[in-house]
Amino acid sequence: ALPVGWLLVSLSNSSASLLLLSVLAAAPTGLGMEVMAPATINALNGSSVKLSCTFNSCYKVENKQFSLNWTYQECRNCSEELFLQFRMKIMNKQLDRFGNRVEFTGNPTKYDVSFTLKNVQLEDEGTYNCYVLNPPDRHRGHASISLKVLTKEPPKHDSTVAVIVGASVGGFLAVVILVLMVVKCVRRKKQQRLNTDDQKTEEEGKTDGEGNPDEGTK
Protein backbone atom coordinates (compact mmCIF):
# COMPACT_ATOMS: atom_id res chain seq x y z
CA ALA A 1 0.00 0.00 0.00
CA LEU A 2 1.23 3.50 -0.85
CA PRO A 3 1.52 6.03 1.98
CA VAL A 4 -1.06 8.85 1.94
CA GLY A 5 1.70 11.47 1.79
CA TRP A 6 3.06 9.92 -1.41
CA LEU A 7 -0.38 10.00 -3.01
CA LEU A 8 -0.84 13.69 -2.20
CA VAL A 9 2.59 14.54 -3.64
CA SER A 10 1.81 12.54 -6.78
CA LEU A 11 -1.46 14.39 -7.22
CA SER A 12 -0.07 17.86 -6.50
CA ASN A 13 0.73 18.78 -10.11
CA SER A 14 -2.24 17.26 -11.91
CA SER A 15 -5.92 17.76 -12.52
CA ALA A 16 -6.49 14.81 -10.19
CA SER A 17 -5.39 16.94 -7.24
CA LEU A 18 -8.16 19.42 -8.04
CA LEU A 19 -10.65 16.55 -8.14
CA LEU A 20 -9.47 15.21 -4.79
CA LEU A 21 -9.49 18.60 -3.09
CA SER A 22 -12.93 19.43 -4.50
CA VAL A 23 -14.38 16.15 -3.23
CA LEU A 24 -12.80 16.62 0.21
CA ALA A 25 -14.22 20.15 0.38
CA ALA A 26 -17.69 18.72 -0.25
CA ALA A 27 -17.71 16.68 2.95
CA PRO A 28 -20.74 17.69 5.07
CA THR A 29 -19.83 19.67 8.18
CA GLY A 30 -22.12 21.29 10.73
CA LEU A 31 -25.68 22.36 10.09
CA GLY A 32 -24.99 24.95 7.41
CA MET A 33 -25.08 24.49 3.66
CA GLU A 34 -22.06 23.07 1.86
CA VAL A 35 -20.76 25.21 -1.00
CA MET A 36 -18.02 23.74 -3.21
CA ALA A 37 -15.57 25.55 -5.46
CA PRO A 38 -11.95 24.95 -6.53
CA ALA A 39 -9.52 26.88 -4.34
CA THR A 40 -7.55 28.16 -7.35
CA ILE A 41 -8.28 28.52 -11.06
CA ASN A 42 -5.71 29.44 -13.71
CA ALA A 43 -6.89 31.27 -16.83
CA LEU A 44 -4.97 32.36 -19.92
CA ASN A 45 -5.03 36.08 -20.64
CA GLY A 46 -7.69 36.84 -23.27
CA SER A 47 -9.53 33.52 -22.84
CA SER A 48 -12.87 32.69 -21.25
CA VAL A 49 -12.96 30.81 -17.95
CA LYS A 50 -15.73 29.16 -15.95
CA LEU A 51 -15.66 29.82 -12.22
CA SER A 52 -17.43 26.75 -10.88
CA CYS A 53 -19.51 26.88 -7.69
CA THR A 54 -22.00 24.21 -6.60
CA PHE A 55 -23.82 23.51 -3.36
CA ASN A 56 -25.60 20.78 -1.39
CA SER A 57 -28.98 21.36 0.21
CA CYS A 58 -31.58 19.13 1.86
CA TYR A 59 -34.31 21.22 0.24
CA LYS A 60 -35.59 21.92 -3.24
CA VAL A 61 -34.60 25.30 -4.65
CA GLU A 62 -37.49 27.79 -4.73
CA ASN A 63 -36.72 30.95 -6.71
CA LYS A 64 -38.79 33.11 -4.34
CA GLN A 65 -36.58 32.19 -1.39
CA PHE A 66 -33.23 31.28 -2.93
CA SER A 67 -30.49 33.92 -2.97
CA LEU A 68 -27.00 34.12 -4.47
CA ASN A 69 -24.21 36.70 -4.35
CA TRP A 70 -20.92 36.70 -6.27
CA THR A 71 -18.36 39.23 -5.05
CA TYR A 72 -14.83 40.18 -6.11
CA GLN A 73 -11.84 41.13 -3.93
CA GLU A 74 -8.76 42.62 -5.54
CA CYS A 75 -6.63 41.80 -2.50
CA ARG A 76 -7.01 39.89 0.76
CA ASN A 77 -7.88 42.96 2.83
CA CYS A 78 -9.78 44.78 0.08
CA SER A 79 -13.54 45.32 0.33
CA GLU A 80 -15.81 42.97 -1.61
CA GLU A 81 -17.50 44.25 -4.78
CA LEU A 82 -20.87 42.69 -5.67
CA PHE A 83 -21.07 41.95 -9.40
CA LEU A 84 -23.68 39.17 -9.75
CA GLN A 85 -26.81 38.50 -7.73
CA PHE A 86 -29.84 36.19 -7.79
CA ARG A 87 -33.10 37.51 -6.34
CA MET A 88 -35.99 35.81 -8.15
CA LYS A 89 -33.77 36.08 -11.23
CA ILE A 90 -30.16 36.75 -12.17
CA MET A 91 -29.12 40.40 -11.89
CA ASN A 92 -25.70 41.50 -13.16
CA LYS A 93 -24.13 44.45 -11.39
CA GLN A 94 -22.24 46.14 -14.20
CA LEU A 95 -18.92 46.96 -12.55
CA ASP A 96 -16.54 49.00 -14.69
CA ARG A 97 -13.99 46.27 -13.99
CA PHE A 98 -15.94 43.56 -15.83
CA GLY A 99 -18.30 45.47 -18.12
CA ASN A 100 -20.47 42.91 -19.92
CA ARG A 101 -17.90 40.09 -19.66
CA VAL A 102 -19.79 38.22 -16.90
CA GLU A 103 -22.29 35.52 -17.94
CA PHE A 104 -24.22 33.35 -15.49
CA THR A 105 -23.87 29.75 -16.71
CA GLY A 106 -25.22 27.83 -13.71
CA ASN A 107 -28.63 26.41 -12.87
CA PRO A 108 -29.77 26.92 -9.23
CA THR A 109 -32.43 24.18 -9.50
CA LYS A 110 -29.54 21.77 -10.16
CA TYR A 111 -27.49 23.28 -7.30
CA ASP A 112 -25.07 24.96 -9.73
CA VAL A 113 -24.36 28.71 -9.47
CA SER A 114 -21.29 28.96 -11.71
CA PHE A 115 -20.52 31.86 -14.02
CA THR A 116 -18.20 32.44 -16.99
CA LEU A 117 -15.80 35.38 -17.25
CA LYS A 118 -15.06 36.29 -20.86
CA ASN A 119 -11.92 37.86 -22.32
CA VAL A 120 -9.96 37.50 -19.08
CA GLN A 121 -7.64 40.41 -18.28
CA LEU A 122 -4.57 40.57 -16.02
CA GLU A 123 -6.43 42.91 -13.66
CA ASP A 124 -9.12 40.24 -13.15
CA GLU A 125 -6.80 38.40 -10.77
CA GLY A 126 -8.14 38.24 -7.24
CA THR A 127 -10.58 36.38 -5.02
CA TYR A 128 -14.13 35.53 -6.13
CA ASN A 129 -16.61 34.75 -3.34
CA CYS A 130 -19.73 32.63 -3.85
CA TYR A 131 -22.50 33.06 -1.23
CA VAL A 132 -25.60 30.84 -1.31
CA LEU A 133 -28.73 30.65 0.85
CA ASN A 134 -31.54 28.16 0.22
CA PRO A 135 -34.28 28.35 2.92
CA PRO A 136 -35.38 26.51 5.03
CA ASP A 137 -31.58 26.20 5.48
CA ARG A 138 -30.84 28.97 7.96
CA HIS A 139 -27.11 29.42 7.42
CA ARG A 140 -25.63 30.94 4.29
CA GLY A 141 -22.93 28.87 2.60
CA HIS A 142 -19.70 30.36 1.25
CA ALA A 143 -16.78 29.35 -0.95
CA SER A 144 -13.87 31.32 -2.42
CA ILE A 145 -11.88 31.00 -5.65
CA SER A 146 -8.46 32.55 -6.26
CA LEU A 147 -8.16 33.43 -9.96
CA LYS A 148 -4.65 33.50 -11.44
CA VAL A 149 -4.21 34.99 -14.93
CA LEU A 150 -1.39 33.51 -17.05
CA THR A 151 0.29 35.20 -20.00
CA LYS A 152 1.32 31.92 -21.62
CA GLU A 153 0.31 28.27 -21.56
CA PRO A 154 1.88 26.32 -18.67
CA PRO A 155 4.05 23.29 -19.59
CA LYS A 156 2.18 20.02 -19.85
CA HIS A 157 2.96 17.08 -17.55
CA ASP A 158 2.35 13.38 -18.02
CA SER A 159 -0.07 12.77 -15.18
CA THR A 160 -1.82 9.59 -16.36
CA VAL A 161 -1.03 7.63 -13.17
CA ALA A 162 -1.98 10.54 -10.94
CA VAL A 163 -5.30 10.96 -12.76
CA ILE A 164 -6.13 7.25 -12.35
CA VAL A 165 -5.27 7.30 -8.64
CA GLY A 166 -7.10 10.57 -8.11
CA ALA A 167 -10.20 9.33 -9.91
CA SER A 168 -10.26 6.16 -7.81
CA VAL A 169 -9.88 8.05 -4.53
CA GLY A 170 -12.33 10.71 -5.65
CA GLY A 171 -14.96 8.14 -6.63
CA PHE A 172 -14.76 6.47 -3.23
CA LEU A 173 -14.99 9.78 -1.38
CA ALA A 174 -17.93 10.88 -3.53
CA VAL A 175 -19.90 7.80 -2.43
CA VAL A 176 -19.04 8.46 1.23
CA ILE A 177 -20.11 12.11 0.92
CA LEU A 178 -23.41 11.12 -0.73
CA VAL A 179 -24.20 8.75 2.15
CA LEU A 180 -23.30 11.42 4.72
CA MET A 181 -25.51 13.96 2.96
CA VAL A 182 -28.49 11.59 2.97
CA VAL A 183 -28.02 10.83 6.68
CA LYS A 184 -27.63 14.52 7.46
CA CYS A 185 -30.80 15.50 5.57
CA VAL A 186 -32.83 12.72 7.19
CA ARG A 187 -31.70 13.80 10.67
CA ARG A 188 -32.35 17.48 9.97
CA LYS A 189 -35.88 16.89 8.69
CA LYS A 190 -36.63 14.46 11.54
CA GLN A 191 -35.50 17.09 14.06
CA GLN A 192 -37.72 19.69 12.42
CA ARG A 193 -40.71 17.32 12.65
CA LEU A 194 -39.98 16.61 16.33
CA ASN A 195 -39.80 20.33 17.07
CA THR A 196 -43.12 20.86 15.30
CA ASP A 197 -44.79 17.95 17.17
CA ASP A 198 -43.49 19.20 20.53
CA GLN A 199 -44.89 22.63 19.83
CA LYS A 200 -48.32 21.19 18.91
CA THR A 201 -48.37 19.00 22.04
CA GLU A 202 -47.55 21.98 24.22
CA GLU A 203 -50.32 24.06 22.64
CA GLU A 204 -52.86 21.22 23.04
CA GLY A 205 -51.88 20.81 26.70
CA LYS A 206 -52.52 24.48 27.34
CA THR A 207 -55.94 24.23 25.67
CA ASP A 208 -56.95 21.17 27.74
CA GLY A 209 -55.82 22.80 30.95
CA GLU A 210 -57.88 25.91 30.30
CA GLY A 211 -60.97 24.30 28.75
CA ASN A 212 -61.68 21.20 30.93
CA PRO A 213 -63.30 21.99 34.33
CA ASP A 214 -62.16 19.97 37.36
CA GLU A 215 -64.57 17.03 37.91
CA GLY A 216 -64.46 17.63 41.68
CA THR A 217 -66.29 20.93 41.31
CA LYS A 218 -69.23 19.42 39.47
Side-chain angles (χ1 to χ4, degrees):
L2 295 173
V4 175
W6 186 92
L7 289 176
L8 293 178
V9 170
S10 299
L11 297 175
S12 61
N13 292 319
S14 70
S15 58
S17 63
L18 179 59
L19 169 64
L20 181 59
L21 291 174
S22 297
V23 174
L24 287 173
T29 57
L31 295 176
M33 292 178 54
E34 287 77 42
V35 180
M36 290 78 66
T40 303
I41 291 180
N42 295 326
L44 191 63
N45 186 34
S47 67
S48 293
V49 61
K50 180 179 179 180
L51 277 77
S52 177
C53 183
T54 59
F55 64 95
N56 289 327
S57 178
C58 297
Y59 306 98
K60 181 181 178 181
V61 174
E62 299 288 347
N63 285 350
K64 293 183 179 180
Q65 297 178 314
F66 178 80
S67 65
L68 162 70
N69 285 341
W70 272 103
T71 67
Y72 168 79
Q73 282 179 284
E74 187 173 3
C75 64
R76 183 174 182 179
N77 296 322
C78 295
S79 59
E80 297 185 33
E81 303 175 62
L82 178 65
F83 65 89
L84 193 151
Q85 190 174 39
F86 188 101
R87 297 290 186 276
M88 303 287 288
K89 63 178 183 179
I90 282 294
M91 296 179 286
N92 283 19
K93 304 293 183 179
Q94 296 297 334
L95 295 180
D96 293 338
R97 178 185 304 278
F98 300 126
N100 61 354
R101 295 186 294 123
V102 172
E103 179 185 0
F104 183 72
T105 49
N107 185 343
T109 60
K110 294 184 178 180
Y111 308 105
D112 183 352
V113 290
S114 309
F115 79 93
T116 297
L117 183 60
K118 303 176 181 178
N119 189 21
V120 174
Q121 306 296 309
L122 293 176
E123 54 268 26
D124 293 335
E125 276 200 349
T127 300
Y128 293 77
N129 298 290
C130 176
Y131 296 97
V132 181
L133 179 62
N134 185 42
D137 277 316
R138 298 179 180 179
H139 302 285
R140 184 172 67 165
H142 169 238
S144 296
I145 301 173
S146 176
L147 179 65
K148 305 294 183 183
V149 181
L150 309 178
T151 56
K152 60 181 180 179
E153 289 279 3
K156 295 182 179 180
H157 299 280
D158 184 5
S159 56
T160 305
V161 174
V163 170
I164 293 174
V165 173
S168 300
V169 175
F172 171 74
L173 291 177
V175 173
V176 173
I177 290 167
L178 177 60
V179 172
L180 291 176
M181 278 300 302
V182 171
V183 172
K184 175 183 175 182
C185 289
V186 169
R187 287 180 177 176
R188 182 181 295 182
K189 292 181 179 181
K190 181 178 179 181
Q191 185 61 47
Q192 287 183 339
R193 286 196 298 269
L194 289 175
N195 291 341
T196 302
D197 292 341
D198 289 343
Q199 185 177 0
K200 289 182 179 179
T201 302
E202 183 178 350
E203 291 175 353
E204 291 172 356
K206 290 180 179 180
T207 303
D208 291 342
E210 295 173 358
N212 292 339
D214 186 2
E215 292 183 359
T217 62
K218 289 183 180 180

